[in-house]
């Protein structure tokens, strides 16, 4: 969590830092700060709360002169979200300022040691040990001090550092937290994410673990952890600037919901060649497929639910057992995984700490690893044996939408690809590919078919709790539907496998209790219909999600959401869309901060 930025050049640094922090605010938004260097003077401005407060405090940066600086937006881990705990942190001699994204695991021991040596701490953060260590090791050479400091730190960190002895220079250090350098014209940048850079440059360098960089206006030098200078190739960002802007929508979430037809198309279309699925990036895996006895899918949050939805297609088409495991559980489960396991790791950001740890655990046991990731050059993409990008473009809203649907789309394609290469795809291969190709159009139809969602949101927005029920693929979507609702509207929302209702949950059904019933899978439709009847006879109000011509469900439910006809094997990406919109409008009716829900962050880079 947390976002960091750095700038050095000829322009005024503060407005550029503030603009970058606004783009990174999705990573954390409980406090923020900048440190700007003017000649040999470092001035620090910090606030509690949002970047908007920092803009107000600094007159949009106008009150902070200087053309070199670093900035931070925080999601508190160690210490409350106060101004004292906000970054940047200063050394006791005032020479150094540091911003940090990550967690220093051995900070307690370091803090005690530094206090014994006479250093005074101003905050409760783990980060502050870093700036005092740099001061302690500084003998006139910042690079040496950084190497010595990094050797003492355990945990994850992306650091930005300035030193008053070196006007015009910023330092960036990376270990297990993302950090990208931006190459400009007579100006250079660093940031936790490319979204903070695209306004200024498309040319970037992805730092890797153990590397650090020294940036001035006219050069960037990169070193490994021993201080040896290294050459790295620059990459070009293909995202355009508008992709990271709201583009007329009230919220990024709504924009990203509406972008799903295009995003899913971008994930699917380039991988269908001559009527077949082809993944150039998986060439090496094809010959290993016959050795795979089990597929394990691991991820966190919505990415995990994407795995739950994709599992059905993988099992049905490939006839290989598929387990889904939460990364936070898998990493500590002493998993039964070996060289015959294919681990599919799903992550929008590619930086989720638990997902990385689970992946490393399974790799160490011999699993082959395939990452399904959106962010190019992210940690998970670099660690995996094989990486398939989802090509969703930048996703800014904390609650994922197009990230999730593109992940499932890629899993559908992997299911078809593996099945075909294993010779297990029946005669209907063409029909299944046709279903995939129709997904973008059907997602658009699902958006267009439901103009009543804002009105339904007004009916349900004051409910104490919402229950989502479904079976099989519908249950997988119910899990994500309930998560969307709770994370942005703060209503209590839970998903239940409809068949489990009688084992407890039905006790909670009372007069006017809303139940959202997903009825899009014909193989279990009659069963879910029985559950609808059962909850209705106990007073529930049922909002059913189904096909327009599904008369039995239409007459049983109180309210309706629709999807176009589609094969249930691939319909999760369509079904979720009306539920995303419902969550959005319920949150809007409740006056919630939709793009930045309380206590959450988009990229959970700490355990
Ligand atoms: C956070 C986000 C979720 C996301 C999850 C996993 O909780 O708010 O939207 O699904 O992290 O993130 P990842 O980047 O690994 O997909």
């Amino acid at each position: 969590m947390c976002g960091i930025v750095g700038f050095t050049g000829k322009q005024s640094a503060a407005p550029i830092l503030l603009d970058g922090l606004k783009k990174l605010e999705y990573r954390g938004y409980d406090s923020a700060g900048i440190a700007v260097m003017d000649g040999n003077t470092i001035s620090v401005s910090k606030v509690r709360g949002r970047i908007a407060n920092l803009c107000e405090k600094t007159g949009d940066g106008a009150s902070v002169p200087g053309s070199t600086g670093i900035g931070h937006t925080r999601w508190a881990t160690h210490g409350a979200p106060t101004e004292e705990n906000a970054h940047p942190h200063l050394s006791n001699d005032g020479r150094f300022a540091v911003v940090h994204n990550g967690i220093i695991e051995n900070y307690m021991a370091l803090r005690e040691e530094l206090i014994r040596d006479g250093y005074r701490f101003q905050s409760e953060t783990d980060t502050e040990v870093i700036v005092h260590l740099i001061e302690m090791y500084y003998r006139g050479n910042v690079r040496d001090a950084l190497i010595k400091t990094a050797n003492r730190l355990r945990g994850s960190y992306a650091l930005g550092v300035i030193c008053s002895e070196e006007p015009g220079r910023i330092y960036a250090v990376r270990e297990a937290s993302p950090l990208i350098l931006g190459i400009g014209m007579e100006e250079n940048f660093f940031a936790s994410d490319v979204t903070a850079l695209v306004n200024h440059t498309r040319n970037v360098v992805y730092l890797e673990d153990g590397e650090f960089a020294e940036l001035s206006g006219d050069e960037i030098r990169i070193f490994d952890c021993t201080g040896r200078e290294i050459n790295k190739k620059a990459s070009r960002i293909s995202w355009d600037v508008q992709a990271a802007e709201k583009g007329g929508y009230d919220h990024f979430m709504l924009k990203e919901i509406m972008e799903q037809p295009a995003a899913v198309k971008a994930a699917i279309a380039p991988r269908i060649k001559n009527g077949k699925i082809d993944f150039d990036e998986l060439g090496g895996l094809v010959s290993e497929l016959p050795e795979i006895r089990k597929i394990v899918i691991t991820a966190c949050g919505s990415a995990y639910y994407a795995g739950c939805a994709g599992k059905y297609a993988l099992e049905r088409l490939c006839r290989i057992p598929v387990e889904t495991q939460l990364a936070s559980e898998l990493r500590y489960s002493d998993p039964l995984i070996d060289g015959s396991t294919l681990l599919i790791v799903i992550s929008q950001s590619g930086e989720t700490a638990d997902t990385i740890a689970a992946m490393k655990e399974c790799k160490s046991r011999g699993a082959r690893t395939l990452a399904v990731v959106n962010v190019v050059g992210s940690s998970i993409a670099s660690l995996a044996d094989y990486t398939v990008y989802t090509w969703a473009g930048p996703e800014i809203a904390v609650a994922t939408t197009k990230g999730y649907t593109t992940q499932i789309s890629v899993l559908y394609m992997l299911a078809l690809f593996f099945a075909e290469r294993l010779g297990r795809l029946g005669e209907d291969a063409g029909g299944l590919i046709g279903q995939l190709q129709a997904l973008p159009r059907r997602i658009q139809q699902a958006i267009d078919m439901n103009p009543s969602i804002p009105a339904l949101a007004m009916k349900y927005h004051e409910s104490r709790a919402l229950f989502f029920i479904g079976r099989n693929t519908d249950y997988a979507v119910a899990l994500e539907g309930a998560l969307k609702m709770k994370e942005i509207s703060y209503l209590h929302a839970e998903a239940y496998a409809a068949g489990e209702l009688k084992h407890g949950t039905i006790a909670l059904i009372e007069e006017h209790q809303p139940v959202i019933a997903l009825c899009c899978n014909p193989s279990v439709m009659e069963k879910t219909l029985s559950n609808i009847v059962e909850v209705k006879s106990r007073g529930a109000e049922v909002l059913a999600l189904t096909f327009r011509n599904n008369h039995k469900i239409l007459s049983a439910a109180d309210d309706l959401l629709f999807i176009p006809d589609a094969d249930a094997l691939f319909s999760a990406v369509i079904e979720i869309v009306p539920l995303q919109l419902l969550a959005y409008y319920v949150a809007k009716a409740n006056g919630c901060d939709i793009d930045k829900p309380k206590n959450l962050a988009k990229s959970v880079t700490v355990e």
Side-chain angles (χ1 to χ4, degrees):
M1 353 270 271
C2 305
I4 68 171
V5 288
F7 170 78
T8 174
K10 296 205 164 104
Q11 303 185 62
S12 185
I16 292 173
L17 297 173
L18 291 170
D19 179 61
L21 290 178
K22 281 184 202 152
K23 300 285 183 327
L24 296 181
E25 208 172 10
Y26 71 85
R27 302 177 68 89
Y29 31 86
D30 60 38
S31 50
I34 53 173
V36 177
M37 197 155 44
D38 190 20
N40 295 94
T41 309
I42 295 178
S43 49
V44 173
S45 317
K46 306 200 234 187
V47 293
R48 280 187 59 155
R50 303 287 167 93
I51 309 298
N53 303 355
L54 191 55
C55 292
E56 199 180 313
K57 182 169 184 175
T58 60
D60 287 324
S63 67
V64 193
S67 55
T68 307
I70 54 179
H72 187 269
T73 180
R74 180 166 187 247
W75 188 91
T77 55
H78 297 69
T82 59
E83 206 170 303
E84 294 73 44
N85 290 332
H87 304 207
H89 293 286
L90 279 175
S91 57
N92 287 168
D93 62 6
R95 248 189 211 150
F96 296 95
V98 166
V99 289
H100 166 218
N101 166 32
I103 284 199
I104 306 303
E105 287 162 5
N106 57 336
Y107 85 101
M108 282 301 275
L110 292 170
R111 188 176 168 111
E112 280 162 23
E113 176 189 322
L114 286 158
I115 289 173
R116 274 199 306 275
D117 288 346
Y119 289 91
R120 280 167 290 106
F121 279 75
Q122 318 286 339
S123 76
E124 302 155 286
T125 63
D126 53 338
T127 303
E128 203 182 337
V129 299
I130 302 170
V131 76
H132 299 318
L133 283 173
I134 297 172
E135 178 184 333
M136 184 169 94
Y137 288 123
Y138 181 65
R139 300 278 180 278
N141 183 323
V142 179
R143 226 185 293 157
D144 282 352
L146 288 178
I147 294 171
K148 291 196 176 106
T149 299
N151 283 336
R152 300 293 312 279
L153 302 176
R154 276 209 324 270
S156 59
Y157 47 88
L159 302 178
V161 181
I162 52 174
C163 170
S164 60
E165 309 279 312
E166 300 193 2
R169 191 163 287 170
I170 52 178
Y171 290 87
V173 188
R174 174 187 161 138
E175 179 61 45
S177 287
L179 199 51
I180 300 144
L181 311 178
I183 310 166
M185 299 282 283
E186 301 188 331
E187 57 188 22
N188 288 306
F189 312 78
F190 67 73
S192 304
D193 183 344
V194 291
T195 49
L197 301 172
V198 284
N199 268 345
H200 308 284
T201 177
R202 300 284 185 82
N203 298 322
V204 298
V205 174
Y206 293 94
L207 279 190
E208 278 160 59
D209 289 351
E211 293 177 350
F212 70 100
E214 193 180 286
L215 297 85
S216 60
D218 33 51
E219 74 170 345
I220 292 183
R221 298 177 68 190
I222 303 173
F223 305 88
D224 69 11
C225 57
T226 65
R228 195 174 53 90
E229 187 157 3
I230 49 178
N231 278 322
K232 286 179 74 86
K233 269 199 6 215
S235 314
R236 186 125 179 105
I237 307 168
S238 53
W239 296 351
D240 59 12
V241 180
Q242 287 79 27
E245 306 286 346
K246 274 191 210 148
Y249 287 97
D250 286 350
H251 296 95
F252 278 110
M253 185 181 177
L254 187 58
K255 175 181 176 237
E256 289 160 7
I257 290 172
M258 299 303 181
E259 281 173 351
Q260 290 178 110
V264 167
K265 190 167 183 188
I268 293 178
R271 288 161 171 149
I272 300 181
K273 292 172 196 151
N274 304 322
K276 274 189 176 174
I277 308 281
D278 200 2
F279 282 98
D280 296 335
E281 54 277 63
L282 298 183
L285 182 59
V286 171
S287 58
E288 299 171 356
L289 280 177
E291 293 155 37
I292 303 295
R293 296 279 159 271
K294 173 168 88 166
I295 295 175
V296 173
I297 300 181
T298 196
C300 298
S302 296
Y304 171 72
Y305 291 147
C308 295
K311 166 189 155 102
Y312 293 95
L314 279 161
E315 273 192 339
R316 177 89 54 83
L317 298 175
C318 303
R319 310 312 296 165
I320 298 174
V322 180
E323 283 172 23
T324 48
Q325 298 228 27
L326 288 164
S328 53
E329 290 294 320
L330 178 62
R331 64 182 291 189
Y332 297 120
S333 69
D334 189 10
L336 295 174
I337 276 176
D338 58 21
S340 67
T341 308
L342 173 66
L343 182 79
I344 300 184
V345 182
I346 309 176
S347 176
Q348 189 285 129
S349 64
E351 302 294 347
T352 303
D354 280 323
T355 311
I356 294 173
M359 181 177 185
K360 287 183 176 165
E361 179 61 40
C362 297
K363 258 192 124 164
S364 74
R365 290 167 192 245
R368 294 166 174 88
T369 52
L370 189 170
V372 177
V373 175
N374 189 33
V375 176
V376 175
S378 54
S379 302
I380 291 175
S382 323
L383 277 169
D385 299 321
Y386 304 97
T387 297
V388 174
Y389 286 112
T390 53
W391 301 127
E395 193 181 59
I396 313 288
V398 165
T400 181
T401 51
K402 61 176 181 169
Y404 166 86
T405 42
T406 51
Q407 286 161 352
I408 302 178
S409 303
V410 166
L411 293 178
Y412 291 161
M413 280 189 291
L414 288 175
L416 276 165
F417 178 69
F418 292 160
E420 197 262 331
R421 297 301 148 111
L422 287 164
R424 294 178 194 167
L425 208 54
E427 305 215 315
D428 193 28
L432 291 169
I433 288 178
Q435 290 279 340
L436 271 191
Q437 284 171 313
L439 287 177
R441 179 166 41 84
R442 291 192 173 137
I443 292 172
Q444 187 60 53
Q445 287 170 332
I447 293 172
D448 299 338
M449 288 167 96
N450 290 290
S452 63
I453 290 178
L456 285 170
M458 291 317 289
K459 173 170 174 186
Y460 289 106
H461 78 110
E462 285 177 326
S463 309
R464 260 193 319 135
L466 293 169
F467 298 152
F468 288 68
I469 61 168
R471 290 167 182 256
N472 197 275
T473 44
D474 286 337
Y475 172 52
V477 181
L479 291 164
E480 171 65 4
L483 177 61
K484 279 291 85 73
M485 184 63 77
K486 90 178 98 182
E487 67 184 338
I488 61 166
S489 78
Y490 314 145
L491 290 189
H492 176 228
E494 290 304 330
Y496 299 98
E500 282 294 291
L501 277 176
K502 289 197 197 68
H503 299 290
T505 310
I506 203 159
L508 300 176
I509 301 295
E510 53 188 34
E511 206 60 29
H512 303 305
Q513 169 61 53
V515 173
I516 298 173
L518 282 70
C519 310
C520 305
N521 187 328
S523 69
V524 285
M525 191 90 73
E526 293 288 334
K527 304 288 170 191
T528 309
L529 178 58
S530 307
N531 298 121
I532 291 178
V533 174
E534 284 157 12
V535 293
K536 270 207 70 65
S537 60
R538 286 159 181 82
E541 294 267 319
V542 173
L543 169 58
L545 172 69
T546 192
F547 311 110
R548 241 194 225 294
N549 56 1
N550 192 346
H551 297 292
K552 281 189 188 160
I553 304 285
L554 303 194
S555 51
D558 298 284
D559 293 304
L560 293 159
L561 294 170
F562 296 109
I563 64 160
D565 289 346
D567 187 325
L569 197 59
F570 298 146
S571 69
V573 296
I574 310 169
E575 285 177 63
I576 193 61
V577 176
L579 301 181
Q580 293 167 340
L581 285 166
L582 183 68
Y584 174 83
Y585 283 107
V586 168
K588 200 168 180 194
N590 287 350
C592 299
D593 190 346
I594 294 177
D595 285 338
K596 300 188 191 84
K598 69 173 169 353
N599 303 338
L600 300 180
K602 185 153 191 71
S603 184
V604 183
T605 55
V606 296
E607 189 173 356

